[in-house]
């Protein structure tokens, strides 16, 4: 049985739904914190069980009969995230999984100023030490994150964020397809190459894209890290969230999210989604 964790989230849900097209429903299980939110998957024949990384005692039941487990990284950061990932790895190994897969990031690095990246690096080390064959899917930066970073500019016409660097923005749908191929085929063992979209684009480039797709001028303005953080906190963001976003820009300035790799497109056998197409579909109303 293939077990997918986090199937109530965007990536995990996409993976579970795509698996239904490749393997029988009875060979798919999902581990979720809120079972009720996954009843639609259960109605399609997928096994749904509660599994919470923060409550490791739930994981043996959630991972029962696992041949493979896809661990979708949590939305937390720091020691809590790494502890939860380690609990999932240990539970997958104890369940007898022949391979453990993990949704990591192209920027995984213990010295990164972007808080999730050291967590990914620590989790990859836990995978190495598990003794179980593993695949760490080093996903490109989600294109949906770009949309969140620029959402306010759609109202103001000004994209005011810190100095940044180019980023290989990548669509969830492409990464979900890659995860399914990794779960159902002999591909992407160990640390994967960077699984990225087709090009790198910085904030100035995104402002130009938004200008084209909306027909409204969007002006890129560089602000200091301190001013950006203060503005976020003033508008109600928790200090931890503000620090996280400041770290994102600092990491992008280092080029941590810049390499483009052909692996994802080669694996899918088709072009990957470009950021302009993604943003166009997200910010322009359907006709």
């Amino acid at each position: 049985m293939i077990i997918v964790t986090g199937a109530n989230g965007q990536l995990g849900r996409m993976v579970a739904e795509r698996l239904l097209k490749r393997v029988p429903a009875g060979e798919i299980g999902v581990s979720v914190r809120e079972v009720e939110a996954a009843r639609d998957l259960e109605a399609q024949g997928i096994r749904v069980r509660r599994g919470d990384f923060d409550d490791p005692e739930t994981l043996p039941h959630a991972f029962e009969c696992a041949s493979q487990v896809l661990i979708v990284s949590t939305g937390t950061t720091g020691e809590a995230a790494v502890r939860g990932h380690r609990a999932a790895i240990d539970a997958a190994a104890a369940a007898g999984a022949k391979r453990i897969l993990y949704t990591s990031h192209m920027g995984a690095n213990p010295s990164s100023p972007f808080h999730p990246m050291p967590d990914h690096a620590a989790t990859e080390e836990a995978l190495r030490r598990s003794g179980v064959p593993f695949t760490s899917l080093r996903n490109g930066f989600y294109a949906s994150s770009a949309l969140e970073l620029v959402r306010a500019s759609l109202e103001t016409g000004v994209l005011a964020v810190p100095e940044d660097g180019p980023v290989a923005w990548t669509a969830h749908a492409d990464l979900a397809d890659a995860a399914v191929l990794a779960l159902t085929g002999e591909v992407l063992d160990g640390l994967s190459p960077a699984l990225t979209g087709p090009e790198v684009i910085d904030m100035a480039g995104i402002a130009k894209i938004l200008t084209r797709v909306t027909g409204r001028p969007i002006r890129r303005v560089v602000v200091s890290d301190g001013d950006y953080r203060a503005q976020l906190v003033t508008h109600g963001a928790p200090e931890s969230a503000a620090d996280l976003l400041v770290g994102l820009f600092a990491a992008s300035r280092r080029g941590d999210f810049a390499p483009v790799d052909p692996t994802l497109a080669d694996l899918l056998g088709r072009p990957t989604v470009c950021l302009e197409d993604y943003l166009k579909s997200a910010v322009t109303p359907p006709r």
Side-chain angles (χ1 to χ4, degrees):
M1 177 167 282
I2 296 172
I3 306 298
V4 178
T5 75
N8 286 333
Q10 186 174 0
L11 184 63
R13 176 57 62 102
M14 285 184 174
V15 172
E17 291 174 344
R18 283 160 167 74
L19 277 172
L20 281 169
K21 300 177 182 179
R22 299 181 69 92
V23 299
E27 297 177 11
I28 307 169
V30 297
S31 169
V32 293
R33 286 182 294 180
E34 299 294 336
V35 170
E36 288 301 318
R39 291 301 185 196
D40 60 317
L41 295 177
E42 187 176 57
Q44 298 177 74
I46 291 177
R47 190 184 80 183
V48 176
R49 290 183 177 176
R50 180 175 179 267
D52 187 341
F53 297 175
D54 294 331
D55 186 3
E57 292 184 358
T58 65
L59 298 178
H61 183 61
F63 291 1
E64 186 180 10
C65 299
S67 58
Q68 298 185 88
V69 176
L70 173 64
I71 299 173
V72 177
S73 55
T74 69
T76 58
T77 59
E79 179 54 34
V82 177
R83 183 172 59 248
H85 294 157
R86 287 175 178 157
I89 291 168
D90 291 345
K98 304 302 182 185
R99 184 164 60 142
I100 303 171
L101 297 90
Y102 170 71
T103 60
S104 186
H105 199 285
M106 67 182 297
N109 187 322
S111 65
S112 175
F114 184 40
H115 296 167
M117 301 301 103
D119 302 340
H120 286 307
T123 301
E124 289 180 341
E125 181 59 27
L127 287 167
R128 292 188 189 96
R129 294 181 178 181
S130 71
V132 179
F134 73 90
T135 296
S136 185
L137 299 164
R138 287 191 150 183
N139 292 340
F141 218 107
Y142 293 150
S144 59
S145 297
L147 180 61
E148 292 306 311
L149 289 170
V150 304
R151 193 176 295 279
S153 71
L154 298 174
E155 299 295 330
T156 65
V158 177
L159 178 53
V161 292
E163 180 185 352
D164 68 309
V167 174
W169 305 103
T170 312
H172 272 83
D174 287 339
L175 295 171
D177 285 341
V180 169
L181 290 173
L183 286 164
T184 59
E186 299 297 325
V187 297
L188 300 178
D189 288 329
L191 300 180
S192 79
L195 302 175
T196 74
E199 57 191 342
V200 292
I201 301 175
D202 61 11
M203 286 291 140
I206 290 178
K208 292 178 181 178
I209 290 173
L210 292 175
T211 296
R212 286 196 296 271
V213 301
T214 65
R216 178 186 179 190
I218 305 293
R219 182 166 56 94
R220 164 65 162 118
V221 173
V222 177
V223 298
S224 71
D225 288 359
D227 286 347
Y228 182 65
R229 184 186 186 280
Q231 181 182 19
L232 291 171
V233 172
T234 298
H235 286 82
E239 292 192 358
S240 59
D243 290 338
L244 183 80
L245 290 175
V246 169
L248 187 163
F249 285 100
S252 74
R253 289 196 293 267
R254 303 192 329 170
D256 289 1
F257 315 127
V260 168
D261 192 286
T263 297
L264 182 57
D266 291 346
L267 182 66
L268 300 180
R270 58 170 174 78
T272 51
V273 176
C274 70
L275 183 63
E276 181 156 350
D277 286 345
Y278 175 85
L279 291 175
K280 185 176 183 179
S281 66
V283 304
T284 58
R287 295 182 178 179

